[in-house]
Amino acid sequence: MSDVLMNGRRVALVGNPNTGKTALFNALTGSRAKVANYAGVTVEKKVGAATTPAGHRVQLVDLPGTYSLRARSPDEEVTRDVVLGRFAGETAPDVIVCVADATNLRLVLRLVLELKNVGRPMVLALNMYDIAQRQGIRIDLEGLSQALGIPIVTTVAVRKRGLAEVLGEVDKLFAAPSHVPAAWHEPSAAEIRQAHRDAVQLLKTYVKPPLRPDTWTGRLDAVLLHPVAGTIILLAVLFLMFQAVFTWATPAMDLIDAAFATLGEWTNQYLPDGLLRSFIADGVIAGVGSVIVFLPQILVLFFFIILLEDFGYMARAAFLMDRMMGAAGLHGRAFIPLLSSFACAIPGIMAARVIDSKRDRLTTILVAPLTTCSARIPVYTLIIAAFIPDREVWGFASLQGLVMFGLYAAGITGALTVAFVIRRIMWRGATEPFLIELPAYKIPDAKNVLNNVWLRGKIFLRRAGTIIFTLMVIVWFLSTFPGAPADATGPAIDYSLAGMIGHFLHPIFAPIGFSWQMTVALIPGMAAREVAVGVLGTVYAVAADGDTASLAARLASSWSMASALSFLAWYVFAPQCMSTLAVVKRETNSWRWPVVMFLYMFALAYVASLVTYSAAVALGAG
Amino acid sequence: MRTAPSNIRLSEARKSDRGIVVGLAVASDLLHGVVAEELERRLLEIGFVEGARFEVLEEGLFGRDPLALRLDDMRVALRRREAAAVIVAMDPR
């Protein structure tokens, strides 16, 4: 007992997806967590604190949205295990707050009936009650509360209404805890049917249907779900999104780049020449800076994704894209993770948690790094500037732009083809059911959207601060030790471990047209793809760093066209990012999948480069 | 489950068709990535219960798949493959 008091009481928020559960959590705790309108997007377990009117300090847990305690995805397993007290090292919550969308009660009433079997004290919060009132839905709160045998409160989470009432009921439940024995078991189909009938009966008795139903959802869906118009709009939205990711983010990225460069210069000025300076300037500042520079793009991308989720559009996008994704053996929901991967595979792989099925999720994770992340762009632009003539083709298109487009297309085609092959070879047989709710459209709450974008940014930075930082230090170590001898003629990296590895590996890469300098650049490039640009600068001893124009000129004179094209092909497919592999290890909780990913991408890149190089040489570009 | 002559599988419905769900008949374990009982429970949980009213709102661009439906007071999307497990009685057109 004292243990419970010491640790504070625990209150768990449970509910269907899209009920504003996380918004209620944010309002109750004042913390910042993710809110979304796309079925099942709340993935991290979120904990916050609140104080009840009676002065109890309680711990609130926000759980992923679910239709039932029968868990189907990793998210829903979290919900089930927390509610049932099966989570390692945790007791069952003292009170369950079941959050419902007051305009859409049928499914949640069934969930309430199921949750009652858990045997924990419970309160039902009818959220978005203002919308229900506006629509003229009349709910007999007292009658429904008596019929269900649990207290009911009404809330408007985004307007912070009804918060004290929720916590007040929690207090009452603390004071008089009911002792119902836990009797939950996985409901059978017959039991689900019975619970549905009971829920429908409750609805008929206590809820009057809306006088002014939401007509906007129907009107919008007539356009947005339309097979032709809807698809065109989706493509337009995606186009806009990518334009924004690459144009809005550029000033901020330049600023971050400049800030880290200045920081590096200061270090070089104020620290004596030596290992410490090299570690801080070349390892920490340059390394972490090269990853943090992607923060603006990730923020812009997530701004759009969260806005569209909260609006309710993402489920429609999944509907429109399902057939196309399905042809490659992917689930309609894989669309969002793959979309995120265009900024960076790391958030994309994390977003794959929304996919129910383990197989679909793994397939998505395995192909996510093939979509062209923004770290490839500096490499692409450097090589294209050096080797592809800047001229117009067909009177309107730039040849350089066309090559860039081709590289993107190769990435997308690669991802879809690999997904298809994985389906065929590793997981033959049927695909998972595609069965999703299309939530009613809602105007996104600006504050919620910004909070959630910030939360995404924090998660990325935390990762940059831990995994990525560690990897940077390793790569710096390899590129620095042992130092160059006093009578060195070549660049220092040539004498380092990375240089040795590069020379050692060179015979493997020679058939695909890589010089030893190119091979050496691949090693530090493992930290982040675009680091290869800096390394090429070092290897070719181009004086001022950041001067890509002179580097491009230098490359143009030392590489053959065939080698350059081969290098591009390599970058489309190669597993050139240790951070991604580390995140895959974390997300799949096994070394098996990062190893599989590394091997298949390596093989794919090697074959692609070999074909490109051989073809180019045959055509006289050797 | 035998289906009455006027009943069809939801997978055969076209845009603007309306009707009522009369039962679930999950054909084979191998057709879906999950066992029949599991698919039945998922369909039930999202609202495909006997007596639920539906209207086909849209069909996908390729192969008219998946389907977007109004199901009672909700909206759902599912592939025709899954819709084949839902037996419906159609309103006369």
Side-chain angles (χ1 to χ4, degrees), chain A residues 280-293:
Chain A
I280 292 181
D282 305 333
V284 180
I285 296 178
V288 174
S290 66
V291 177
I292 288 183
V293 78

Side-chain angles (χ1 to χ4, degrees), chain A residues 128-151:
Chain A
M128 308 195 220
Y129 196 67
D130 55 339
I131 301 178
Q133 281 181 316
R134 216 176 304 143
Q135 292 182 5
I137 300 175
R138 279 160 304 156
I139 306 170
D140 174 2
L141 296 172
E142 222 162 274
L144 186 60
S145 167
Q146 270 173 12
L148 287 171
I150 56 168

Side-chain angles (χ1 to χ4, degrees), chain A residues 148-277:
Chain A
L148 287 171
I150 56 168
I152 297 181
V153 290
T154 62
T155 59
V156 184
V158 290
R159 305 266 167 275
K160 301 199 186 307
R161 281 186 218 143
L163 304 181
E165 287 81 350
V166 173
L167 294 171
E169 289 301 334
V170 168
D171 266 335
K172 283 189 211 158
L173 292 170
F174 282 156
S178 53
H179 292 282
V180 185
W184 184 84
H185 60 101
E186 273 213 2
S188 67
E191 285 167 312
I192 297 173
R193 276 200 177 83
Q194 186 54 48
H196 245 297
R197 275 196 286 272
D198 294 347
V200 168
Q201 195 52 46
L202 286 169
L203 268 183
K204 271 192 190 141
T205 318
Y206 300 108
V207 182
K208 293 269 179 304
L211 298 170
R212 298 171 292 278
D214 159 38
T215 55
W216 276 107
T217 298
R219 275 189 252 174
L220 283 171
D221 271 349
V223 184
L224 296 181
L225 287 181
H226 189 274
V228 179
T231 308
I232 292 171
I233 293 172
L234 175 64
L235 293 178
V237 167
L238 293 183
F239 180 78
L240 206 101
M241 214 165 119
F242 280 106
Q243 281 296 310
V245 165
F246 293 114
T247 54
W248 296 4
T250 310
M253 290 175 81
D254 291 346
L255 213 67
I256 292 175
D257 230 11
F260 275 96
T262 315
L263 214 60
E265 273 165 35
W266 280 353
T267 319
N268 283 333
Q269 253 173 38
Y270 294 110
L271 280 181
D273 194 4
L275 269 185
L276 182 69
R277 184 171 102 178

Side-chain angles (χ1 to χ4, degrees), chain A residues 67-68 70 72 103-104 106-107 110 114 186-189 192-193 196-197 203 217-218 221-222 225-228 231 316 319 322-324 326 330-332 356 430-439, chain B residues 15 23-24 29-34 37-50 52 57-69 71-79 81-82:
Chain A
Y67 294 101
S68 162
R70 299 179 325 98
R72 308 185 302 223
T103 62
N104 187 8
R106 197 156 46 95
L107 297 190
R110 204 199 56 68
E114 186 182 339
E186 273 213 2
S188 67
I192 297 173
R193 276 200 177 83
H196 245 297
R197 275 196 286 272
L203 268 183
T217 298
D221 271 349
L225 287 181
H226 189 274
V228 179
T231 308
R316 273 79 183 176
F319 167 80
D322 180 67
R323 187 64 191 229
M324 240 184 279
L330 289 163
H331 194 276
D356 293 346
T431 43
E432 280 281 304
F434 176 78
L435 186 57
I436 58 169
E437 183 180 351
L438 302 171
Chain B
K15 188 175 166 174
L24 297 180
D29 282 8
L30 289 172
L31 258 176
H32 306 275
V34 293
E37 157 102 14
E38 173 61 21
L39 179 65
E40 184 179 4
R41 288 191 288 190
R42 287 195 198 181
L43 286 165
L44 287 169
E45 275 167 7
I46 209 151
F48 286 98
V49 283
E50 289 77 3
L57 297 172
E58 290 292 351
E59 302 168 312
L61 185 57
F62 304 104
R64 300 175 175 276
D65 198 26
L67 293 171
L69 306 177
L71 183 65
D72 278 340
D73 43 7
M74 283 176 51
R75 282 151 186 275
V76 298
L78 79 171
R79 290 187 187 146
R81 198 211 313 254
E82 276 75 54

